[in-house]
Amino acid sequence: MKVEIIPLLISLIPTLFLTIIALYYFKLHTDNEQKRRKYLLHREHQKQSLPLRLQAYERMALFLERIAPGKLLIRTAPLDDDKKNYESLLVRTIEQEFDHNLTQQIYISDECWNIVKAAKNGTIALIRNAALKEDITSASKMREAILTTIIEKGSPSDDALAAIKSEVEDLF
């Protein structure tokens, strides 16, 4: 009986070896198929989401252009000559623009969103700093002070626009 088992075991070794090799190649094949399907789904998802992302970047660029102090001051004239009223009007306009674009944060990176928020806050700070100066007594002088500051130091929106352009370039 021992003699019959040994030849049987010897004949099973190649079969086991072939079975292990077949299972290994089957596993490789199924893994490759799964990766291929995942890639195709990812590519299809990108095709659908890319236009939404580009639209979000466009809206953020438009937001930054609209709150750029030079353009904001031209578009938003003071209602009277009181600098505090004008400061409130400008800040309210920026906040309304920002609130209108809040949903765009879903489609842009967190880093870019934080840069946009920093530009918004920087613009508001610029306006508030101009309003706090005691030598500025009217809305028209406040406008001049803000324009002088952005000519000297640049607009907070400029860096944010550069970041948006950089991210859009990375999409392609």
Side-chain angles (χ1 to χ4, degrees), residues 55-85:
Q55 183 182 23
Y57 284 113
E58 288 171 1
R59 294 218 18 206
M60 287 295 94
L62 179 62
F63 165 73
L64 291 168
E65 287 291 337
R66 290 182 60 83
I67 69 162
K71 294 178 182 164
L72 179 66
L73 294 175
I74 291 170
R75 199 177 64 255
T76 310
L79 302 174
D80 56 27
D81 209 34
D82 183 37
K83 70 178 184 179
K84 285 295 181 188
N85 290 341

Side-chain angles (χ1 to χ4, degrees), residues 37-158:
R37 286 185 187 131
K38 192 174 183 178
Y39 169 75
L40 290 173
L41 279 173
H42 178 70
R43 195 173 78 188
E44 185 63 31
H45 175 70
Q46 276 191 324
K47 252 191 242 179
Q48 293 172 356
S49 69
L50 184 62
L52 294 173
R53 290 188 73 195
L54 287 174
Q55 183 182 23
Y57 284 113
E58 288 171 1
R59 294 218 18 206
M60 287 295 94
L62 179 62
F63 165 73
L64 291 168
E65 287 291 337
R66 290 182 60 83
I67 69 162
K71 294 178 182 164
L72 179 66
L73 294 175
I74 291 170
R75 199 177 64 255
T76 310
L79 302 174
D80 56 27
D81 209 34
D82 183 37
K83 70 178 184 179
K84 285 295 181 188
N85 290 341
Y86 192 47
E87 171 194 4
S88 296
L89 176 65
L90 292 173
V91 170
R92 190 172 50 249
T93 301
I94 292 170
E95 291 293 348
Q96 286 172 348
E97 289 279 345
F98 184 73
D99 290 345
H100 183 70
N101 290 294
L102 272 175
T103 58
Q104 301 310 309
Q105 67 183 297
I106 295 170
Y107 301 107
I108 65 176
S109 72
D110 288 339
E111 180 184 346
C112 188
W113 181 249
N114 290 332
I115 291 170
V116 169
K117 286 192 313 187
K120 174 196 80 124
N121 293 333
T123 303
I124 290 173
L126 183 102
I127 292 166
R128 289 203 167 129
N129 287 338
L132 287 175
K133 293 180 181 175
E134 292 184 21
D135 59 327
I136 296 174
T137 57
S138 67
S140 59
K141 287 189 178 186
M142 187 172 118
R143 290 176 90 179
E144 290 173 21
I146 293 171
L147 288 172
T148 302
T149 302
I150 63 168
I151 289 171
E152 292 172 357
K153 297 180 182 177
S155 170
S157 297
D158 294 342

Side-chain angles (χ1 to χ4, degrees), residues 4 14 16 35 94 121 125 128 163 165:
E4 293 175 15
L16 285 172
K35 287 178 186 175
I94 292 170
N121 293 333
R128 289 203 167 129
K165 289 176 184 177

